[in-house]
């Protein structure tokens, strides 16, 4: 089950190691190629990982036609040369890009949008292989919902790692488990426990349990004190 793999991968603390694990998981599911692409609210600051070297050479990733879809919809999109006739709105330049991907082995694929509540960045995963349309419909499409859940979990982990890398954490955070750290950071950013539960796909009761354990380890009593601890680390102790 992909969810079982996600649980294992969520423990990884390095973006590159996480990407390698994600690619391996997709390959075992019959998806040889994967692209993970996110951008800011203004289609800026792209973050991209791809199994196809040079795919975006001379073609800025923020112009990928999939992003135009993912900025307005959470629906899974069939894509690639095998499905190009289903998307008459695609421009000639975009068609050439799709055909270039097909020559690299991504002939049929899925575009799975991802976006976390409270975050400006959006984008998703492009997953595919060299099958024709009939084969892809039979082998991969039945697993679309399972793939969507896995992609959402991995996107959340990528975003968490990016946030952690950008934020100096107090030494006390070394005592927390990955999930405890995630919960404390979400609550400190202002998320309610209900919102944290939705983001993490766990119950509010479980969020409370993680928070209680984390606060005890940190030597604080509530989210405000945890936020103050984070602020002190970010400012070097300055108010």
């Amino acid at each position: 089950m992909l969810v079982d793999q996600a649980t294992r991968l969520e423990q990884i603390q390095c973006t590159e190691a996480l990407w390698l694990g994600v690619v391996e998981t997709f390959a075992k599911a019959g998806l040889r190629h994967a692209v993970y692409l996110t951008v800011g609210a203004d289609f800026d600051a792209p973050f991209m990982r791809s199994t196809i070297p040079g795919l975006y050479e001379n073609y800025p990733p923020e112009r990928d036609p999939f992003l135009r879809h993912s900025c307005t919809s959470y629906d899974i999109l069939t894509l690639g040369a095998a499905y190009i006739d289903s998307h008459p709105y695609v421009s000639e330049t975009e068609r050439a890009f799709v055909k270039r991907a097909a020559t690299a082995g991504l002939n049929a694929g899925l575009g799975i949008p991802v976006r976390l509540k409270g975050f400006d960045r959006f984008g998703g995963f492009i997953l595919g292989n060299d099958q024709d349309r009939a084969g892809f419909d039979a082998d991969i499409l039945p697993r679309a919902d399972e793939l969507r859940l896995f992609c959402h979990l991995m996107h959340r982990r990528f975003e968490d790692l990016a946030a952690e890398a950008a934020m100096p954490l107090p030494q006390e955070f070394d005592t927390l488990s990955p999930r405890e750290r995630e919960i404390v950071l979400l609550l400190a950013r202002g998320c309610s426990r209900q919102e944290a539960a939705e983001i993490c796909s766990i119950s509010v009761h479980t969020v409370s349990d993680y928070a209680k354990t984390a606060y005890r380890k940190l030597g604080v009593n509530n989210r405000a004190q945890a936020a103050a601890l984070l602020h002190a680390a970010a400012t070097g102790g300055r108010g």
Side-chain angles (χ1 to χ4, degrees):
M1 293 289 291
L2 292 179
V3 173
D4 294 333
Q5 290 298 315
T7 300
R8 178 180 64 83
L9 293 173
E10 283 177 323
Q11 307 305 309
I12 293 176
Q13 301 295 317
C14 168
T15 296
E16 296 307 322
L18 178 60
W19 173 243
L20 291 176
V22 167
V23 168
E24 180 182 9
T25 300
F26 286 139
K28 290 179 179 178
L31 295 160
R32 175 188 171 196
H33 285 303
V35 176
Y36 173 58
L37 175 61
T38 63
V39 293
D42 296 322
F43 287 79
D44 58 341
F47 176 87
M48 187 268 295
R49 292 292 183 273
S50 173
T51 60
I52 305 177
L55 177 62
Y56 291 98
E57 186 175 350
N58 301 319
Y59 194 93
E62 59 268 28
R63 290 177 54 195
D64 190 305
F66 168 62
L67 288 177
R68 190 169 64 242
H69 168 79
S70 63
C71 75
T72 59
S73 174
Y74 286 103
D75 293 338
I76 295 176
L77 183 71
T78 52
L79 44 73
Y83 294 95
I84 195 70
D85 291 338
S86 300
H87 308 294
Y89 55 83
V90 175
S91 70
E92 288 303 315
T93 300
E94 292 169 339
R95 284 175 179 268
F97 173 72
V98 170
K99 290 179 180 178
R100 186 162 71 250
T103 62
L106 204 165
N107 186 61
L110 294 177
I112 302 181
V114 292
R115 188 171 195 165
L116 298 181
K117 184 176 181 180
F119 288 72
D120 290 332
R121 295 188 68 81
F122 68 91
F125 288 82
I126 299 170
L127 313 173
N129 58 33
D130 59 0
Q131 287 183 290
D132 60 20
R133 182 167 181 165
F136 196 85
D137 284 350
D139 296 340
I140 303 300
L141 284 188
R143 304 188 67 186
D145 287 338
E146 183 184 13
L147 287 164
R148 186 210 303 267
L149 176 58
F150 178 80
C151 288
H152 177 80
L153 293 172
M154 292 301 95
H155 172 59
R156 186 185 69 200
R157 186 62 187 141
F158 277 118
E159 290 289 279
D160 286 345
L161 288 174
E164 291 172 14
M167 177 190 299
L169 297 178
Q171 187 175 1
E172 293 89 339
F173 270 62
D174 293 343
T175 65
L176 304 183
S177 71
R179 181 66 94 184
E180 289 166 353
R181 187 182 302 116
E182 179 181 30
I183 294 299
V184 170
L185 290 173
L186 286 170
L187 296 179
R189 291 175 189 149
C191 288
S192 68
R193 296 197 175 193
Q194 178 64 49
E195 289 171 335
E198 293 174 0
I199 290 171
C200 298
S201 300
I202 58 179
S203 70
V204 175
H205 178 74
T206 302
V207 168
S208 297
D209 285 344
Y210 276 120
K212 182 178 179 180
T213 301
Y215 292 159
R216 184 177 67 251
K217 290 180 179 179
L218 294 173
V220 300
N221 296 316
N222 51 51
R223 74 167 71 201
Q225 291 179 359
L229 198 63
L230 287 165
H231 178 73
T235 61
R238 299 185 302 274

